[in-house]
Amino acid sequence: MAPISTQWTRLIRFVAAETAQIHIGQPVDPRLDVGLAAWNKQTIRAYELSGSAFDPASHVTSTILTVEKLLSPLSREEMKVVRCLGLNYSDHAAETKMAKPAAPILFYKPLASMIGPNAPIFIPKVAQPVEEHLSDYEVELTIVIGKAAKNVSEADALDYVLGYTGANDVSFRKHQLTTSQWGFSKGFDNTTPLGPVLVSHNAIPNPQEIPLTCTLNGQVLQDGNTNDQIFNVRQTVSFLSQGTTLEPGSVILTGTPKGVGFARKPAIVLKNGDDCRVWLGHGIGTLINPVIEEGHHQAKL
């Protein structure tokens, strides 16, 4: 089957100042870090895209709109299922003193956990106090599936990928380590940022050379590269499609490199008022989110 062909390179979703409506578009400046610009309240202009992200006929128009509010590149309604891999980087497995998995470790996130750029990461009371529950960050390359995939080979796996974006798989380690099932500890409402830009797979022919970092309050805590993945993107898409249809709009978080907070001595935790930023190269950019603990004064947005 032929690979997906898009007529756009970098897709953003936003509320336009001109219309007060939600649009998708391509940034006018191909080099702009859209997430950083949005956080800094810089002017962002985008060529409006016709259709939807999943429409092969969607194209870049000549209409230029101004971004009033940057949103996640996909709405919750467009995301079919959010799948995630655990322990998928060699250096992360080593720092947690866990064996490399023999097969991908899969868990799911509810759609209610997904948020966009600049939206606050909300730590619920069930995950407080944070020093006990070990609220943690995880920068992750994220795959978006563009057409139905079932029983696909590793050789053909990238043909089903629409594009790539970033995510922060915020985790609560006390709950996570209490049980072998991670869905509860990684699925609280409004805890998983996604974005800021969806980059077409056409612009990233090799997803195994993408640098990615996480910075907390100005300190770089994760600095990795997707070339350290235990199961690469081809292997991941192929494995997850065996006996299972990956629908268009399926989102796959592919694991995190070393540097997570709970593995440090002393542990570093996300707390009220923190500024958490994950960055991925190849045009994806910086995903910035403040942290709010339920019952505390709100962090400044």
Side-chain angles (χ1 to χ4, degrees):
M1 184 174 288
I4 297 171
S5 179
T6 67
Q7 299 182 52
W8 47 268
T9 302
R10 300 172 73 217
L11 181 148
I12 60 174
R13 183 170 152 269
F14 60 95
V15 176
E18 292 84 355
T19 67
Q21 301 293 318
I22 296 175
H23 300 261
I24 57 173
Q26 176 159 286
V28 171
D29 183 349
R31 298 171 303 279
L32 181 68
D33 185 331
V34 176
L36 186 60
W39 179 259
N40 291 331
K41 297 183 169 28
Q42 297 173 355
T43 299
I44 303 168
R45 293 186 173 86
Y47 295 108
E48 185 177 19
L49 290 176
S50 66
S52 74
F54 301 97
D55 181 0
S58 179
H59 63 277
V60 181
T61 72
S62 59
T63 302
I64 296 179
L65 297 171
T66 306
V67 175
E68 179 71 24
K69 180 181 181 182
L70 184 64
L71 306 172
S72 62
L74 300 178
S75 68
R76 289 177 177 175
E77 291 73 23
E78 289 176 309
M79 301 180 213
K80 296 300 182 183
V81 176
V82 181
R83 294 174 172 86
C84 311
L85 296 194
L87 283 182
N88 194 36
Y89 281 71
S90 299
D91 56 7
H92 177 52
E95 74 173 345
T96 59
K97 298 178 173 56
M98 295 182 183
K100 291 183 182 180
I105 297 173
L106 174 65
F107 62 96
Y108 292 80
K109 282 182 179 282
L111 295 179
S113 72
M114 308 303 290
I115 58 175
N118 301 350
I121 295 165
F122 189 78
I123 299 178
K125 289 185 177 179
V126 71
Q128 297 178 31
V130 293
E131 294 79 11
E132 175 186 340
H133 284 268
L134 300 174
S135 44
D136 212 344
Y137 49 83
E138 292 189 0
V139 58
E140 310 217 1
L141 174 69
T142 300
I143 306 164
V144 176
I145 297 297
K147 60 185 177 184
K150 184 176 182 181
N151 297 329
V152 304
S153 67
E154 290 180 17
D156 294 337
L158 297 188
D159 293 352
Y160 297 84
V161 175
L162 177 68
Y164 304 94
T165 189
N168 187 353
D169 177 18
V170 172
S171 306
F172 300 89
R173 304 302 187 183
K174 180 180 179 181
H175 286 299
Q176 181 183 358
L177 299 175
T178 299
T179 170
S180 62
Q181 298 294 319
W182 298 349
F184 182 71
S185 63
K186 289 171 171 275
F188 297 131
D189 287 357
N190 302 313
T191 52
T192 307
L194 182 76
V197 174
L198 177 63
V199 177
S200 169
H201 81 97
N202 296 318
I204 304 180
N206 181 10
Q208 302 313 136
E209 56 180 17
I210 300 176
L212 64 172
T213 66
C214 180
T215 302
L216 183 63
N217 300 326
Q219 180 183 3
V220 177
L221 298 177
Q222 291 182 282
D223 186 0
N225 193 289
T226 54
N227 61 20
D228 193 49
Q229 287 183 340
I230 297 170
F231 302 101
N232 64 30
V233 171
R234 287 183 182 274
Q235 292 169 320
T236 295
V237 172
S238 176
F239 178 86
L240 295 179
S241 76
Q242 299 307 305
T244 304
T245 301
L246 307 180
E247 296 181 87
S250 294
V251 173
I252 305 170
L253 280 66
T254 62
T256 198
K258 71 175 181 180
V260 296
F262 89 105
R264 294 174 175 269
K265 305 297 181 189
I268 295 176
V269 300
L270 297 177
K271 61 185 183 304
N272 196 69
D274 278 353
D275 176 311
C276 193
R277 307 181 177 207
V278 300
W279 171 87
L280 295 91
H282 292 250
I284 296 172
T286 309
L287 178 61
I288 305 174
N289 300 87
V291 179
I292 292 177
E293 294 180 51
E294 182 179 8
H296 290 61
H297 293 297
Q298 289 200 350
K300 285 187 177 180
L301 300 184

